[in-house]
């Protein structure tokens, strides 16, 4: 199961991580977010040893999305070495996400 990250834990869990991190920005009212949730879980099972997968609920944690200019969800962002390196807006399949984030 993909763990949650919050505004309060973002710096420690994402920015200070020694592994790359994919953050799934989502909300419970977002239908496309619900559609990609199983895909994120699948990617976590397959690539979780190489990259950490986390979910950030934008309803409960508005500061981090605002800081990173998240204007639409779902947005999936990859962080490495404390920096945002790439992000994708909108739902995608597992293969497309794997390619876009260099997992495959």
């Amino acid at each position: 199961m993909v763990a949650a990250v919050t505004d309060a834990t973002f710096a420690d869990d994402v920015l200070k991580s020694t592994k790359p991190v994919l953050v799934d920005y989502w909300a419970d009212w977002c239908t496309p977010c619900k559609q990609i949730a199983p895909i994120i879980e699948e990617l976590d099972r397959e690539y979780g040893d190489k990259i950490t997968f986390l979910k950030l609920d934008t309803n409960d944690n508005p500061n981090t999305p605002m800081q990173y200019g998240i204007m639409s969800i779902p947005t999936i962002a990859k962080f490495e070495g404390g920096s945002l390196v790439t992000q994708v807006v909108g739902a995608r399949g597992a293969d497309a996400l794997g390619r876009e984030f260099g997992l495959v």
Side-chain angles (χ1 to χ4, degrees):
M1 177 173 225
V2 175
V5 64
T6 67
D7 285 342
T9 63
F10 192 86
D12 287 337
D13 293 347
V14 178
L15 302 180
K16 294 179 183 175
S17 177
T18 57
K19 283 184 3 182
V21 180
L22 276 188
V23 178
D24 175 15
Y25 294 91
W26 72 284
D28 61 355
W29 50 263
C30 170
T31 300
C33 297
K34 292 176 185 178
Q35 292 172 333
I36 67 163
I39 294 167
I40 300 297
E41 294 287 342
E42 174 186 337
L43 291 171
D44 180 45
R45 284 190 300 278
E46 192 165 343
Y47 301 105
D49 58 331
K50 299 177 188 174
I51 188 165
T52 301
F53 290 81
L54 299 172
K55 297 179 76 64
L56 188 138
D57 183 339
T58 59
N59 286 332
D60 296 335
N61 301 282
N63 296 331
T64 301
M66 186 169 43
Q67 179 181 353
Y68 286 96
I70 305 301
M71 302 297 289
S72 183
I73 55 174
T75 293
I76 301 152
K78 182 179 181 182
F79 291 82
E80 289 185 56
S83 297
L84 174 65
V85 292
T86 190
Q87 67 183 26
V88 172
V89 178
R92 306 272 198 297
D95 290 340
L97 285 174
R99 284 190 305 276
E100 290 185 60
F101 290 110
L103 301 174
V104 292

